[in-house]
Amino acid sequence: MDYIAIVLMPASLLAIAIGTVAGVVIGAMPGLTATMAVGLLVPFTYTMDPVLGLMLLGGIYAGAMYGGSIPAILLNTPGTPAAVATALEGYAMSREGRGRLALKVSVVASFMGGLISAVVLLMFAPLLAQQALAFGPAETFLLALMGLAGIVSIADEDTSLIKALLAGVLGMIIAVIGTDAMSGSLRYTFGSVELIDGIDFMPALIGLFSMIQMLEIAGQRHATTIDASVLERSQRSEPMPKGIARYMALGSGTGTVVGILPGEGATIAAFLSYNFAKRLAGVKARFGKGAPEGVAAAEAGNNGCVGGSLVPTLTLGIPGNSVAAALMGAFIIHGMIPGPDLFTIHADKTYPFIYSLFIANAVFLIVGISVAPYLARIALIPPAIMVPVISAFAVLGSYALNQSTFDVYLMIGFAFFGLILKKLGYSLEALILGLILGPIAEGGFSQGMIIGKGSPAIFFESNIAKVMWVIILGLLTPPLLAHLRRMLRK
């Protein structure tokens, strides 16, 4: 109760509120990530009270994970990489005039994911951290493979399975451009200095999502009118869809588990949650065309990573992801070395920080619900205004990440390249899956083969690996059978 009293002090509540709102704003701006925000503010907390400083950073983390969904839903521009899965369904809902509902589903799912992961962090952190140590490179490869299995699910009646697979492979090829982490050799750089560090996927995402949409709108002759039915529907407040809670629970559990695994992140959690939701849904026809279930699972998944990623960070000193690594730096700066001492010697600082995550989730829930009706109107802005404004933000977001004009050219190049692929019937979603998850799969595979002394048996030895293979087969079998039935009908 003493720790809860610390969190409820006016100064603590103010720090949490400022951090959370700032995180929402940062997450909503493409190119600005939670990692960047936390990393930049860590040195400034050195002169603050340790508890207040950590609460501020925790609020930024929680708020930014939710904030990325706002532009993903309204503008098809993911604010963070983890919001890519949200954009797949959220933007389609927005174009139908259901942006207000998509935003409501997003914030409630984010709240549930953050809340459940915070409870897990509070109650089971030391126990779960020990279990996470059994998760090695082989299991990391299989986890990425589970995410890549979504490429098969992306292909539907309107998309060729072969083209979806080719797009996914193309994304993985693009992802390996740069320096090989294992051997140090250069791959596909063609003598370019800018490509030595590889292709940053944030400019690629902005180009493949936002700029493609702007190019298509700009190419329409009658893009200046807004459908009256869409306008009327956008004014209504729709109730939450029935049965949506189970998709939120599914995403929350998936996100928390993936977050606990050291080195994994919210992006893979969001894609896995989205893929699991497609398998769970009784009627899959709406997926890809504006399914609120997809938004719920993806958002609960990426926010479930917040508390989950802090489990190995606080108990073992092994960051769950890049944001958790930046937060660990804040703990160390204040003389709090991650490990058992955080929960004993420094308990008066650690537990208030954990409790502050509950308040942070409540803050962005209130903010999200209160501003959703106004934000939903963004989708109704006339294209003559929207196209130049969004294009300018796309350029700024691409430049802001590394202060590099090369990233701007990269974003524009991906936009035109993606537009050509889209016109030819290739799946951009599969391309993005390969681009994001390919490096994770490659790293896990390479390290696993080294540990296994060149034998692939390491990917089948552990009990965790065997369970993961069963899940992978479960994810692949239904869509492959559906594609086979469609081929036989033809």
Side-chain angles (χ1 to χ4, degrees):
M1 295 304 295
D2 290 340
Y3 301 148
I4 294 176
I6 294 173
V7 179
L8 296 178
M9 291 173 59
S12 300
L13 294 175
L14 181 61
I16 297 168
I18 291 174
T20 305
V21 174
V24 172
V25 173
I26 291 168
M29 299 177 68
L32 301 182
T33 63
T35 306
M36 182 188 299
V38 173
L40 288 174
L41 289 178
V42 163
F44 291 97
T45 64
Y46 186 73
T47 57
M48 296 177 62
D49 177 80
V51 177
L52 294 180
L54 292 172
M55 288 178 178
L56 178 72
L57 297 175
I60 290 175
Y61 187 7
M65 294 308 298
Y66 157 67
S69 69
I70 297 174
I73 291 170
L74 299 176
L75 306 172
N76 203 28
T77 307
T80 59
V84 171
T86 304
L88 299 179
E89 305 298 336
Y91 185 68
M93 293 180 66
S94 182
R95 300 311 299 167
E96 292 178 347
R98 305 172 70 201
R100 186 172 180 177
L101 174 62
L103 289 168
K104 185 193 297 184
V105 171
S106 169
V107 71
V108 173
S110 297
F111 171 74
M112 180 178 287
L115 194 67
I116 290 176
S117 68
V119 170
V120 171
L121 172 64
L122 178 65
M123 300 184 68
F124 306 109
L127 175 64
L128 292 174
Q130 294 299 323
Q131 298 300 318
L133 288 177
F135 201 90
E139 289 76 17
T140 298
F141 166 71
L142 293 176
L143 187 64
L145 205 60
M146 287 168 61
L148 289 169
I151 293 175
V152 178
S153 302
I154 286 170
D156 54 20
E157 291 84 351
D158 303 320
T159 307
S160 165
L161 175 61
I162 299 299
K163 287 187 175 182
L165 292 174
L166 286 175
V169 171
L170 181 59
M172 287 188 276
I173 292 173
I174 295 172
V176 301
I177 292 174
T179 305
D180 183 357
M182 303 304 296
S183 67
S185 60
L186 299 180
R187 302 179 296 190
Y188 309 119
T189 58
F190 304 104
S192 173
V193 176
E194 289 85 357
L195 291 177
I196 289 177
D197 293 329
I199 291 179
D200 197 306
F201 55 73
M202 202 62 211
L205 294 184
I206 294 174
L208 291 171
F209 274 95
S210 181
M211 280 303 292
I212 279 184
Q213 193 68 31
M214 296 305 104
L215 290 172
E216 289 184 330
I217 292 175
Q220 296 172 3
R221 291 185 177 181
H222 306 289
T224 55
T225 58
I226 298 172
D227 190 281
S229 63
V230 173
L231 180 63
E232 188 273 333
R233 189 171 186 178
S234 69
Q235 310 301 315
R236 299 202 305 261
S237 177
E238 297 183 56
M240 295 286 280
K242 292 182 179 179
I244 199 75
R246 62 175 180 166
Y247 294 93
M248 295 181 185
L250 174 67
S252 301
T254 303
T256 302
V257 171
V258 173
I260 291 171
L261 305 176
E264 304 309 323
T267 305
I268 193 170
F271 275 114
L272 273 179
S273 301
Y274 177 77
N275 203 15
F276 288 153
K278 291 184 74 171
R279 300 278 70 81
L280 177 65
V283 181
K284 304 179 183 65
R286 289 299 299 170
F287 273 84
K289 302 175 183 177
E293 295 85 358
V295 175
E299 279 303 298
N302 65 44
N303 277 78
C305 263
V306 174
S309 66
L310 294 174
V311 170
T313 304
L314 300 184
T315 57
L316 301 174
I318 303 174
N321 55 34
S322 57
V323 191
L327 269 173
M328 188 172 75
F331 276 88
I332 294 173
I333 282 177
H334 292 290
M336 303 163 61
I337 306 301
D341 286 352
L342 284 185
F343 297 88
T344 53
I345 299 173
H346 302 293
D348 58 333
K349 301 180 184 69
T350 303
Y351 281 106
F353 165 72
I354 295 174
Y355 284 124
S356 73
L357 297 176
F358 292 90
I359 306 295
N361 281 280
V363 170
F364 75 65
L365 177 67
I366 295 169
V367 171
I369 289 179
S370 60
V371 302
Y374 308 101
L375 290 175
R377 293 176 177 269
I378 291 177
L380 304 176
I381 296 175
I385 298 174
M386 180 182 291
V387 170
V389 171
I390 300 305
S391 299
F393 273 109
V395 171
L396 289 173
S398 301
Y399 179 80
L401 195 65
N402 299 308
Q403 290 76 51
S404 169
T405 53
F406 178 76
D407 284 345
V408 177
Y409 297 134
L410 199 63
M411 179 271 294
I412 296 172
F414 267 102
F416 283 101
F417 177 62
L419 188 60
I420 294 171
L421 289 180
K422 189 174 182 180
K423 296 296 182 183
L424 293 175
Y426 288 86
S427 170
L428 295 185
E429 291 81 4
L431 176 71
I432 291 165
L433 263 177
L435 184 65
I436 293 177
L437 301 182
I440 299 174
E442 184 198 14
F445 181 80
S446 299
Q447 294 174 20
M449 290 295 285
I450 291 173
I451 294 173
K453 298 180 180 179
S455 172
I458 189 172
F459 300 106
F460 302 89
E461 288 177 350
S462 70
N463 291 329
I464 296 176
K466 293 172 184 175
V467 171
M468 295 179 78
W469 276 115
V470 172
I471 296 174
I472 291 170
L473 291 174
L475 290 172
L476 289 174
T477 302
L480 287 175
L481 290 176
H483 281 289
L484 181 61
R485 284 194 295 267
R486 283 198 294 271
M487 289 176 62
L488 293 174
R489 284 201 299 267
K490 294 178 180 179

